Amino acid sequence: MSDLSAFAVTRRWPAAHPDRIQLYSLPTPNGVKVSIMLEETGLPYEPHAINIGQNETWTPEFLALNPNGKIPAIIDPEGPGGQPLALFESGAILLYLAEKTGRFLPADPVARIETIQWVFFQMAAVGPMFGQLGFFFKFAGREYEDKRPLERYRAEAHRLIRVLETRLAGRRFIMGDDYTIADIALIGWVRNLVGFYGAGDLVAYHDLKEVPAWLERCLARPAVQRGLEIPARP
């Protein structure tokens, strides 16, 4: 039996199965990257729902796991050298799980770094820009009289979704025929843009051909369907 008692987060969210990867998350666009990856790889894990609406990421126990106070985060009881490993940042977790399992990250050095490049594209551009568009279009930001911030993020989201459209021309997935962590990183954000945020018309999503077809292929995967609902919202 693995001993995770050294991790303060397990005192607030006890591990019923400490021999499994512990996932601390919520089904947000960032959170589902990791739950989808865990479902795709088949690694045993135990999900814990972190209620961001009640600021649970800012509790001392969670901050001891991720000092940046964001989901998702994991503890792997069987990390490198057989020692427990705590990890935060969704992109880093995707890379770690891909390397741990040898799946969804090409072995070829050129294809590998190109895949990582597209993960970074999501982390640095798509996530922040789509998220800001959501704030200024759907949430409290929509009440601002000054519409310049909304227009700024609308224009950038419009541009970024077309970067993906160009990339996917002639490809089933970001890296061609192979589904990788680059796709997993992007699924939740594109889905949220046109679904939860309801910003499809703002970015002329329906003028696109490749991105909608790609999203449909990704959403048809059983592991994606499961991962999008994990952990169940409190």
Side-chain angles (χ1 to χ4, degrees), residues 205-228:
Y205 181 82
H206 300 294
D207 291 344
L208 306 177
K209 173 185 175 184
E210 307 294 346
V211 173
W214 162 84
L215 183 60
E216 185 175 347
R217 284 191 289 273
C218 292
L219 294 178
R221 297 178 67 91
V224 172
Q225 295 172 21
R226 294 191 301 270
L228 287 170

Side-chain angles (χ1 to χ4, degrees), residues 35-55:
S35 53
I36 289 171
M37 183 65 170
L38 288 166
E39 288 291 325
E40 291 280 13
T41 60
L43 286 167
Y45 73 102
E46 180 179 355
H48 302 273
I50 309 301
N51 193 331
I52 59 179
Q54 293 186 5
N55 295 321

Side-chain angles (χ1 to χ4, degrees), residues 6 65 78 106 113 130 171 180 192 202 210 222 229 233:
L65 178 62
E78 294 293 331
I113 199 64
F130 286 16
R171 295 180 172 90
T180 68
N192 232 48
L202 276 186
E210 307 294 346
E229 304 298 327
R233 289 183 176 273

Side-chain angles (χ1 to χ4, degrees), residues 158-178:
H158 182 278
R159 184 188 72 81
L160 289 169
I161 201 75
R162 279 154 182 78
V163 173
L164 287 177
E165 179 78 357
T166 299
R167 173 64 184 180
L168 286 164
R171 295 180 172 90
R172 286 180 51 78
F173 299 105
I174 297 295
M175 289 302 297
D177 289 334
D178 295 329

Side-chain angles (χ1 to χ4, degrees), residues 96-107:
Y96 171 71
L97 296 176
E99 292 179 346
K100 180 181 177 75
T101 60
R103 301 188 64 193
F104 307 113
L105 183 62

